Amino acid sequence: MSGNDKLSIMLWSASVDKLYPVAMLAAGAAAMDVQVNIFLTFSGVEAFRKGALQTNTQITGDYASHGEKFLKLIQEHNVPPWYQTLAQAKEMGDVKISACAMTMDLFGLTKDDLDEMVEDIEGMASFAEEAKGGQILFV
Amino acid sequence: MADYATDMEIDARGMFCPGPLMELIKGIKQSQVGETVAVLSTDSGSKKDIPAWCQKAGHELLAVVDEDGYARFVVKKAR
């Protein structure tokens, strides 16, 4: 597999205005046969707690006014929620979501506390190994 | 303008990128080789995304027809 065919995203953020483009990136990449690995860490893990996906309305502080405008338009135009696009991306192609072991331990969480979209828990080294040969994004 | 008979028509108008492409992919997956799927889209990204995907996935983009306020993409499942 060439380097262009693998994208690893280290998802540190939990703000919805970032989750939308991440989900869409995963979908677009999966559509074009790119293997996508998403590694949730810190706030990213929080964003994937059971029940949190549907109630999350956090916006990135620096871009608050843009974020609010964006979310309003999303509602008005019936855009599917980011987690639905992500679920579709998983169905369509090779998209894997893992949670950072360190964050899980720090927060005292187990896999059961997370949404079923999260497939497993792994350490930094595993993610780094899996990312080899591809591109890594920090969001 | 040739009229393409299609086995499946997906109305993705009003959907935002990457919705129409994902619907096309789903439709193609559900189709047999040789069948034709048409996707109607108002999303401007589709004009590039759908041809790029067809080329990548090895399917035949038979036509892109500009209709009243939307585009019709006709794709034949080639493999």
Side-chain angles (χ1 to χ4, degrees):
Chain A
M1 189 182 286
S2 81
N4 287 333
D5 292 324
K6 179 160 52 175
L7 174 65
S8 300
I9 303 173
M10 197 163 163
L11 183 54
W12 173 94
S13 312
S15 42
V16 170
D17 56 331
K18 287 190 177 176
L19 292 169
Y20 270 93
V22 168
M24 291 166 82
L25 173 58
M32 301 305 265
D33 269 339
V34 172
Q35 180 194 347
V36 182
N37 292 328
I38 300 176
F39 182 72
L40 310 172
T41 192
F42 282 59
S43 307
V45 170
E46 289 276 286
F48 278 76
R49 286 180 87 141
K50 266 200 184 101
L53 281 68
Q54 296 80 359
T55 56
N56 185 4
T57 52
Q58 287 175 88
I59 294 170
T60 309
D62 293 347
Y63 302 93
S65 67
H66 291 269
E68 273 158 22
K69 224 186 305 185
F70 174 72
L71 285 185
K72 189 158 157 281
L73 288 169
I74 293 259
Q75 300 258 26
E76 282 171 15
H77 293 267
N78 287 319
V79 177
W82 63 269
Y83 47 87
Q84 195 180 308
T85 301
L86 188 55
Q88 288 174 324
K90 284 188 77 171
E91 264 172 57
M92 185 173 50
D94 190 355
V95 179
K96 186 170 85 93
I97 304 175
S98 317
C100 167
M102 191 236 178
T103 304
M104 297 293 285
D105 289 347
L106 213 57
F107 284 45
L109 298 172
T110 64
K111 191 157 171 294
D112 280 334
D113 294 312
L114 303 183
D115 188 270
E116 61 186 5
M117 267 204 283
V118 183
E119 288 149 62
D120 67 13
I121 298 170
E122 64 181 15
M124 195 73 251
S126 297
F127 173 71
E129 174 67 29
E130 283 163 4
K132 268 187 193 174
Q135 295 167 306
I136 304 181
L137 264 185
F138 183 90
V139 178
Chain B
M1 193 203 312
D3 226 1
Y4 289 92
T6 55
D7 298 290
M8 187 190 297
E9 186 178 273
I10 301 169
D11 189 350
R13 289 174 298 182
M15 274 194 192
F16 288 84
C17 165
L21 174 59
M22 295 207 289
E23 289 296 311
L24 172 64
I25 293 174
K26 197 165 33 167
I28 291 281
K29 271 197 181 149
Q30 290 168 353
S31 301
Q32 310 278 2
V33 176
E35 286 186 334
T36 312
V37 177
V39 176
L40 313 184
S41 172
T42 47
D43 157 51
S44 54
S46 296
K47 288 251 165 107
K48 279 215 168 140
D49 285 1
I50 290 179
W53 180 81
C54 287
Q55 181 165 55
K56 168 102 201 178
H59 299 296
E60 229 181 300
L61 180 60
L62 295 177
V64 179
V65 186
D66 275 314
E67 297 183 352
D68 191 13
Y70 64 95
R72 173 187 298 268
F73 299 84
V74 185
V75 180
K76 182 165 161 189
K77 179 165 179 164
R79 60 187 199 98

